[in-house]
Amino acid sequence: MNIGKRLLTSLPLNFFIIIIITTIHVFDANVIGEKSVETLNTWLVNGKTKNTLDLVFLSEGYTEREKYKFQDDVKRFKKEGFEEGGLYFKYSPFFNIYSVFTASKESGVGTDGRWKNTAYHLYRDSGKLRSILPVDDFSYPKALKVCKKNAPACDIAVILVNAPFYGGLG
């Protein structure tokens, strides 16, 4: 059994729940009707992909002008999660972390049940701030495609949404 599978079966429940919540927001990045430029960044490498869990952040609702905001958000997650004192620090040797930036045409996330012209077309339901939802036949397939196309490996894809309010489904 490889180290990644052993790690998943030995993780404390709170770690696994957070990964489940974040992977709900996972997936691809072409803007409607246009070929997008995707940029890969490497944040943490601890070994070969067969021996690690490869975590890949994908950008949603970040325009070309907000590229550095996306990078700052990934950097903050890495620091608060995987650096010394972080929630997952003791597990960091088992992870590689990457990000793939795809510029959205519009900033933020759709509201009132309508998606914006963003990489993955995520949106909030009418009158609700809590959940961020995917367009089922578009969001997930696109995210997986972008992740697998651009990152060395893609065990866990996380769509990082440019929005001021929490959007998990947990």
Side-chain angles (χ1 to χ4, degrees), residues 28-29 38 58 100 120 142-150:
D28 169 286
E38 294 143 354
L58 305 170
V100 178
Y120 301 100
K142 184 175 182 186
L144 290 175
K145 181 181 172 189
V146 168
C147 190
K148 290 178 181 183
K149 173 184 158 195
N150 292 285

Side-chain angles (χ1 to χ4, degrees), residues 15-167:
F15 180 85
F16 196 64
I17 288 172
I18 289 171
I19 293 302
I20 290 172
I21 291 168
T22 57
T23 56
I24 288 171
H25 299 298
V26 38
F27 305 98
D28 169 286
N30 276 345
V31 179
I32 307 170
E34 294 185 19
K35 194 72 174 156
S36 62
V37 175
E38 294 143 354
T39 306
L40 175 70
N41 282 305
T42 301
W43 297 94
L44 179 69
V45 175
N46 282 307
K48 296 180 181 179
T49 59
K50 68 180 182 177
N51 296 325
T52 58
L53 290 171
D54 292 276
L55 180 64
V56 182
F57 288 93
L58 305 170
S59 61
E60 169 67 345
Y62 293 86
T63 64
E64 187 63 43
R65 286 183 173 181
E66 295 171 313
K67 180 177 188 171
Y68 296 106
K69 182 179 187 295
F70 171 70
Q71 291 173 345
D72 287 346
D73 290 345
V74 174
K75 189 184 303 181
R76 189 182 80 230
F77 181 90
K78 178 188 169 266
K79 180 181 182 194
E80 292 176 6
F82 291 92
E83 292 180 8
E84 184 144 8
L87 186 60
Y88 311 120
F89 176 68
K90 67 182 178 180
Y91 300 109
S92 65
F94 302 105
F95 281 84
N96 294 332
I97 301 175
Y98 304 95
S99 67
V100 178
F101 177 79
T102 304
S104 292
K105 292 290 185 186
E106 294 182 87
S107 183
V109 65
T111 57
D112 296 323
R114 296 174 190 211
W115 47 268
K116 289 183 172 186
N117 193 354
T118 59
Y120 301 100
H121 301 166
L122 301 182
Y123 65 93
R124 293 183 188 275
D125 241 347
S126 296
K128 296 181 183 175
L129 289 176
R130 184 175 182 134
S131 302
I132 296 178
L133 305 170
V135 174
D136 289 336
D137 60 347
F138 178 82
S139 303
Y140 293 150
K142 184 175 182 186
L144 290 175
K145 181 181 172 189
V146 168
C147 190
K148 290 178 181 183
K149 173 184 158 195
N150 292 285
C154 186
D155 296 315
I156 303 170
V158 178
I159 296 177
L160 190 57
V161 179
N162 184 15
F165 300 105
Y166 169 77

